[in-house]
Amino acid sequence: MLARLPKNLPGGVSLILPFLFICFSFSPVLSQGIEAEVDTLDPAVPDSELVVAAPVTSLIASDYKYDNGEVIELSWVPSIDDQLVGGNVIGYSLYRSENDGEPTLIAELLPGVNNYTDEGLSRLSTYRYTILTLTVNHETPSTMTAPITPEREWINFDKKYLFLIALIIGGSVMFFIETARRGKKLFVRKIAGLEAVDDAVGRATEMGRPILFIPGILDMDDVQTLAGLTILGRISRIIADYDTKIFMPVSRSLVMTAGRETIKAAYQAAGRPEKYSDDMVSYVTDEQFGYVAAVDGIMVREKPATVFLLGAFFAESLILAETGNYIGAIQIAGTARPAQLPFFIAACDFTLIGEELFAASAYLSDEPKALGSLKGQDVGKALAMVIIVVGVLAITIGQAWHVDFMMSLVDTLTNIFSTK
Amino acid sequence: MRRQIPLFITFFVGTLLIFSVFIPPMETWGEDFTLFFDIIAVFAFFLGGGNLMRVHFNKLTRRKQDWTYSIVTLAGFFFMLVLGLLKIGNPGGIAASVTAEGSWFQTMFNDVLNPLQSTMYALLAFFVASASYRAFRAKNREATILLVAAFIILLGRTPFGMYLTAWVPESFSVLQIPNLAIWIMNSPNLAGQRAIIIGIGLGVVSMSMRLILGIERTYLGDDSG
Amino acid sequence: MEHFALWLAAFLTLGIVSFLYKDNPWYKLCEAIFVGLSAGYWFVVLFWDNIYGKFWVGVFPLEEFDEAGREITAEPDYWLFVGAALGILMLMRLVPNIGWISRWPLAFIVGSTAGLYLINYFSSNMMRQVQGTIVPLFGAGYDASAYAIVGNIVVAVGTFAGLVYFFFSKEHRGVFGGTAKVGVFFLMLTFGASFGYTVMSRMSLLIGRMDFLLGDWLGMIK
């Protein structure tokens, strides 16, 4: 049987007991007890041929900080016989006992390993751990850890700086939104791709040809799709005013629903609800290249004058953009996927690069509040730029001339911006 | 009210998930909500699939241009639904995975969908060539920079790049095309990527806040419902 | 059967490639097959994965036992009914007078996407990248080669200038405009590098299909 420790002991006893426990657990009696429990010894091997390794030492189980009480971290010093050259340890077996029950094997570890994170535990149970050091024909148990119960923390203080910086930037966005709401005029520079939206819609109207809007191939759970839809909202207003034909083939059913709501709202706002039709948005298929095959077909058959490619795109970006180019459409594209941006730049007339995609709807909006959010975004950029300049200079000077102050500044910055 | 309730839902759920990141007992809520999304998306497919059927039935019944192809689309759609939902021709029966090897459903994927996907994907080779040609013809400074960088990286990944600049002395080895390509990838490319990625991070913060605060709400439609 | 599959694959492959010449009935047929089959395929896969695999099995877990024969069946997760309820609300769109209720699940999705992305993107895109840029220009022990020093300077200056380009609050004029132009230079280099890096992999896709047509199908190459 495993040695059991009483749960509530007077202070002095609780200090002595672990010591006694450690000494005792090294005794052959207890070792045999554990070995018998986990059925480790091979009786067919004579004692003289046994390859015996020293046990792992300093096995410590500690509660993982800032979780929901489901994780315990274990660390230990590997067996002194765990050596690359001349060692005889072939691995470790980690056993866990729940509520002083029978120990069960939870992991088999390679030589050299000195820590383990035990996940998926219950904060209503207590746990104890032991490790068997394995040789080719023998297993040496370590001491058993003291009982431990994983604890739940309500606030993750590891993320305090993330919270703080997010608060500063989120606060700036709110501040500028509020400033704009109070009527203060905010300056935002011209963004070429967005300045071209009016002309692009006007061109389609003049030519009597439709506009094709492609919101990417991801669903509503991607923020780029949401960005594409918010821009669709602004473009639809212009389209409704000009009474231009729009067609939006989509690869996700939810995007179809949201797209219809968006366009319908624009027609309603323009006072032309009768001009709206559900046929403006239609579902094709969830399959990436099946969707591309269909959209390519639509492009060459319907010959839209303007193509908007705004959302999340993958390999299909170039196929779509080149086909649009081939039919002579004006193309305005935007995505936050850096790998696809070069293809849009090569094949489209205007490209919204990353951040510009998210800023577009605010830029096109006639609502000052939306514009205010862009200012808040700039505060974040300014902060990033200052930190980069200060950080790079501090670490360069600090290391070159061994300036402790600079190095502690770097440590602070690195600590603040590290994300666990 | 028809707009107020959805706006409140967006605000409530959005705010909850922002704070969930900092509260360990709520840390898994994001995953749970993603699970909800997966379930909603399948229900939504009834709308999407229904729309697909409606569009092609309309084309068929009104004998619109290319209506004959709509027969093929509809037949293919129903065929896969029947094969997959009833698991017809699945060696393991109804209990087996629908995509089990040897099932008729998976065979359709392997023999029909797979070649279609691969070929559509392979068309990119032609489109990359035409896009490169266009970039080559562009006469502005930005396009030239893009093209030169692309050319160096392209050559740097082929033995030809090594062959071309093998004569460069070892002390100037950085100018050998493969090394230059590595340097471009690790330095200027990294800088550009970083600027784009940081910008995206901030853009997402700003846009998410506009959505949560209800400043962006066009996706919710008009008030009339 | 295998022979038929090979010819079918070749027929479909050439049908898709024919689009490069111009839109034609062969391509239209392949497109129709592609759209119909793939839409059905994905619905079936999503149905079994999500409705059965995630919802049904989540609410009514399958009995499971470990190696020792002990029952390790998961606890039922009744919260999944929230997802199903939202899904059903989505279908209210089909009911004329209460179609507006379908906006609730939409609002839920938009709210959760915005909430999840806000902190995740901020943490991984902004915080981590800023931290990654804080590197000593002359190497850790003032021992970097000229090659590395130039590289480090380029990374720091390029990131800074790139951020200046994205600044919305100030017109790109004067020193600020000059820095933004440097930013554009870096962005174009980045796009060029990505472009060049991808070209080869795209070519290999074509080679793969050629290999199928000339090797597997026609047997011209072994």
Side-chain angles (χ1 to χ4, degrees):
Chain A
M1 282 300 290
L2 289 170
R4 290 186 185 193
L5 287 174
K7 281 183 181 131
N8 298 311
L9 296 166
V13 180
S14 63
L15 279 175
I16 297 163
L17 263 180
F19 175 72
L20 288 176
F21 177 73
I22 289 166
C23 298
F24 188 58
S25 63
F26 275 107
S27 75
V29 179
L30 187 71
S31 295
Q32 276 173 17
I34 292 175
E35 282 160 11
E37 185 93 24
V38 292
D39 192 20
T40 58
L41 216 56
D42 184 357
V45 182
D47 282 0
S48 57
E49 289 178 23
L50 281 178
V51 181
V52 182
V56 304
T57 50
S58 308
L59 175 61
I60 296 168
S62 52
D63 177 43
Y64 178 77
K65 271 278 175 223
Y66 309 131
D67 75 327
N68 194 27
E70 292 164 343
V71 181
I72 285 178
E73 288 181 315
L74 295 156
S75 66
W76 60 87
V77 176
S79 161
I80 50 167
D81 296 313
D82 182 355
Q83 309 283 342
L84 266 179
V85 182
N88 55 18
V89 175
I90 60 166
Y92 299 101
S93 293
L94 177 59
Y95 282 79
R96 176 181 66 209
S97 154
E98 185 172 355
N99 295 328
D100 289 335
E102 270 189 35
T104 51
L105 179 69
I106 55 165
E108 289 184 337
L109 307 165
L110 293 170
V113 174
N114 64 356
N115 63 76
Y116 184 80
T117 305
D118 193 14
E119 296 175 352
L121 303 174
S122 163
R123 59 179 184 280
L124 304 173
S125 299
T126 54
Y127 298 92
R128 303 175 71 192
Y129 296 85
T130 186
I131 294 178
L132 300 186
T133 305
L134 312 177
T135 65
V136 284
N137 57 12
H138 189 263
E139 299 170 341
T140 315
S142 71
T143 56
M144 203 79 177
T145 60
I148 182 167
T149 301
E151 282 174 26
R152 168 159 73 183
E153 288 83 22
W154 284 94
I155 292 176
N156 187 345
F157 284 103
D158 269 349
K159 293 183 176 170
K160 57 182 178 292
Y161 293 122
L162 175 65
F163 182 79
L164 195 72
I165 309 255
L167 198 67
I168 292 172
I169 292 170
S172 319
V173 173
M174 298 273 272
F175 171 78
F176 282 106
I177 287 174
E178 185 56 25
T179 309
R181 197 185 64 79
R182 286 186 184 164
K184 188 167 183 214
K185 211 160 163 52
L186 300 172
F187 171 80
V188 170
R189 72 168 166 85
K190 282 189 172 22
I191 300 174
L194 297 172
E195 288 293 307
V197 167
D198 258 333
D199 290 343
V201 176
R203 179 176 186 259
T205 316
E206 277 171 22
M207 294 172 80
R209 279 167 33 187
I211 285 169
L212 190 67
F213 189 96
I214 302 167
I217 61 158
L218 290 187
D219 215 327
M220 292 290 286
D221 61 341
D222 188 273
V223 75
Q224 295 174 77
T225 311
L226 297 186
L229 284 172
T230 55
I231 303 170
L232 172 71
R234 315 293 180 220
I235 294 172
S236 305
R237 272 303 295 271
I238 309 170
I239 287 168
D241 284 337
Y242 287 1
D243 198 15
T244 318
K245 203 175 150 196
I246 183 171
F247 188 56
M248 178 179 168
V250 299
S251 72
R252 305 289 168 152
S253 305
L254 279 167
V255 181
M256 179 188 81
T257 309
R260 282 179 176 172
E261 290 285 3
T262 306
I263 299 178
K264 194 175 172 186
Y267 273 81
Q268 192 86 29
R272 293 178 168 178
E274 74 287 352
K275 294 277 184 185
Y276 168 78
S277 156
D278 272 355
D279 291 341
M280 290 172 173
V281 186
S282 95
Y283 169 79
V284 180
T285 170
D286 274 48
E287 158 63 44
Q288 178 186 17
F289 288 108
Y291 174 70
V292 175
V295 173
D296 268 6
I298 292 167
M299 281 190 186
V300 292
R301 282 161 225 153
E302 304 290 329
K303 296 208 164 33
T306 303
V307 176
F308 289 100
L309 298 140
L310 300 166
F313 290 88
F314 294 80
E316 72 285 351
S317 63
L318 189 61
I319 304 179
L320 295 171
E322 274 297 299
T323 311
N325 208 301
Y326 167 72
I327 58 164
I330 277 209
Q331 298 198 96
I332 298 178
T335 185
R337 292 190 53 80
Q340 303 309 325
L341 281 165
F343 303 119
F344 279 153
I345 287 181
C348 298
D349 299 278
F350 298 97
T351 304
L352 303 175
I353 302 168
E355 188 180 2
E356 292 174 340
L357 173 75
F358 299 110
S361 65
Y363 185 90
L364 293 171
S365 161
D366 41 14
E367 235 183 307
K369 282 193 286 184
L371 221 52
S373 71
L374 297 188
K375 289 271 178 190
Q377 213 165 308
D378 276 356
V379 171
K381 253 170 283 173
L383 180 71
M385 286 153 75
V386 169
I387 300 294
I388 288 172
V389 171
V390 172
V392 169
L393 287 179
I395 196 168
T396 305
I397 295 166
Q399 285 191 351
W401 289 283
H402 304 287
V403 183
D404 290 342
F405 161 71
M406 290 290 182
M407 289 317 291
S408 60
L409 177 65
V410 171
D411 285 343
T412 310
L413 287 178
T414 312
N415 192 20
I416 290 174
F417 281 81
S418 73
T419 50
K420 282 190 183 173
Chain B
M1 277 306 276
R2 288 180 181 184
R3 247 186 166 189
Q4 257 50 49
I5 295 175
L7 282 175
F8 174 75
I9 294 174
T10 305
F11 175 78
F12 181 72
V13 173
T15 314
L16 203 66
L17 285 188
I18 289 172
F19 283 100
S20 75
V21 176
F22 305 99
I23 302 170
M26 288 167 68
E27 242 167 17
T28 56
W29 286 23
E31 285 166 34
D32 294 340
F33 282 32
T34 308
L35 212 55
F36 294 169
F37 171 82
D38 291 341
I39 295 166
I40 300 169
V42 182
F43 279 94
F45 189 87
F46 286 99
L47 303 173
N51 175 255
L52 182 78
M53 286 196 288
R54 196 178 58 82
V55 167
H56 287 281
F57 267 124
N58 275 346
K59 232 175 165 180
L60 192 64
T61 51
R62 292 176 194 171
R63 294 285 192 272
K64 284 187 184 171
Q65 198 187 355
D66 292 335
W67 62 272
T68 42
Y69 300 105
S70 291
I71 301 175
V72 179
T73 303
L74 286 170
F77 182 60
F78 285 118
F79 182 61
M80 287 305 263
L81 285 188
V82 172
L83 273 193
L85 293 177
L86 305 178
K87 295 191 182 173
I88 295 170
N90 193 320
I94 196 78
S97 162
V98 69
T99 52
E101 273 311 316
S103 65
W104 292 0
F105 184 74
Q106 192 57 23
T107 304
M108 286 300 289
F109 177 82
N110 294 339
D111 292 352
V112 183
L113 286 177
N114 200 19
L116 285 166
Q117 279 177 343
S118 312
T119 312
M120 205 67 213
Y121 198 4
L123 289 190
L124 268 173
F126 295 99
F127 290 128
V128 159
S130 60
S132 306
Y133 175 67
R134 192 164 326 96
F136 185 70
R137 288 183 54 192
K139 299 232 166 15
N140 60 51
R141 194 173 43 192
E142 283 84 6
T144 311
I145 298 166
L146 188 147
L147 196 74
V148 169
F151 202 60
I152 293 171
I153 300 294
L154 181 63
L155 281 179
R157 296 186 73 200
T158 60
F160 190 61
M162 188 69 231
Y163 173 77
L164 266 184
T165 47
W167 54 271
V168 175
E170 203 49 42
S171 47
F172 292 101
S173 63
V174 66
L175 295 176
Q176 287 174 348
I177 286 181
N179 293 336
L180 201 56
I182 293 170
W183 186 80
I184 289 177
M185 288 306 287
N186 291 343
S187 299
N189 172 59
L190 179 66
Q193 294 275 2
R194 279 220 171 113
I196 295 171
I197 291 172
I198 292 172
I200 289 170
L202 292 164
V204 170
V205 170
S206 167
M207 206 197 71
S208 297
M209 286 189 69
R210 292 201 301 273
L211 286 165
I212 291 169
L213 296 172
I215 296 171
E216 299 280 9
R217 51 177 182 268
T218 48
Y219 65 95
L220 288 176
D222 58 277
D223 286 317
S224 65
Chain C
M1 190 61 194
E2 211 170 286
H3 208 58
F4 173 74
L6 205 61
W7 277 82
L8 179 65
F11 173 82
L12 297 169
T13 301
L14 291 173
I16 293 289
V17 172
S18 72
F19 180 74
L20 291 174
Y21 171 60
K22 66 172 190 176
D23 190 31
N24 63 78
W26 192 0
Y27 176 76
K28 286 180 188 172
L29 177 65
C30 291
E31 179 196 322
I33 294 171
F34 204 172
V35 169
L37 287 184
S38 63
Y41 178 86
W42 281 107
F43 175 65
V44 169
V45 169
L46 290 178
F47 175 83
W48 286 113
D49 280 359
N50 295 354
I51 295 292
Y52 176 73
K54 290 177 183 168
F55 173 69
W56 190 260
V57 174
V59 176
F60 306 105
L62 302 173
E63 276 193 346
E64 281 183 285
F65 299 92
D66 68 5
E67 286 169 3
R70 283 172 294 205
E71 190 173 354
I72 49 164
T73 307
E75 289 291 310
D77 182 2
Y78 295 116
W79 279 105
L80 291 170
F81 277 116
V82 175
L86 288 168
I88 290 166
L89 289 182
M90 196 75 218
L91 296 181
M92 290 299 125
R93 216 179 152 69
L94 299 170
V95 187
N97 287 329
I98 51 169
W100 51 271
I101 291 183
S102 69
R103 291 173 188 167
W104 295 6
L106 216 51
F108 175 88
I109 291 167
V110 171
S112 53
T113 305
L116 271 177
Y117 271 82
L118 195 149
I119 291 293
N120 286 350
Y121 262 64
F122 182 70
S123 157
S124 65
N125 282 33
M126 200 261 184
M127 303 275 280
R128 202 168 295 167
Q129 294 300 325
V130 168
Q131 191 206 25
T133 314
I134 302 175
V135 288
L137 296 178
F138 307 124
Y142 205 52
D143 56 355
S145 62
Y147 174 81
I149 293 171
V150 173
N152 290 341
I153 293 173
V154 161
V155 171
V157 171
T159 309
F160 184 88
L163 285 172
V164 168
Y165 167 78
F166 285 117
F167 228 75
F168 297 119
S169 304
K170 203 163 159 51
E171 200 73 75
H172 287 171
R173 272 199 294 246
V175 177
F176 195 78
T179 315
K181 271 189 187 148
V182 176
V184 172
F185 172 81
F186 276 100
L187 292 178
M188 288 301 147
L189 263 176
T190 303
F191 296 141
S194 284
F195 197 106
Y197 196 77
T198 319
V199 169
M200 292 296 279
S201 59
R202 299 299 184 245
M203 289 301 161
S204 66
L205 294 171
L206 181 64
I207 293 166
R209 284 329 278 166
M210 295 298 283
D211 190 43
F212 164 73
L213 287 175
L214 301 177
D216 298 353
W217 182 46
L218 294 175
M220 287 165 69
I221 47 173
K222 297 283 176 200

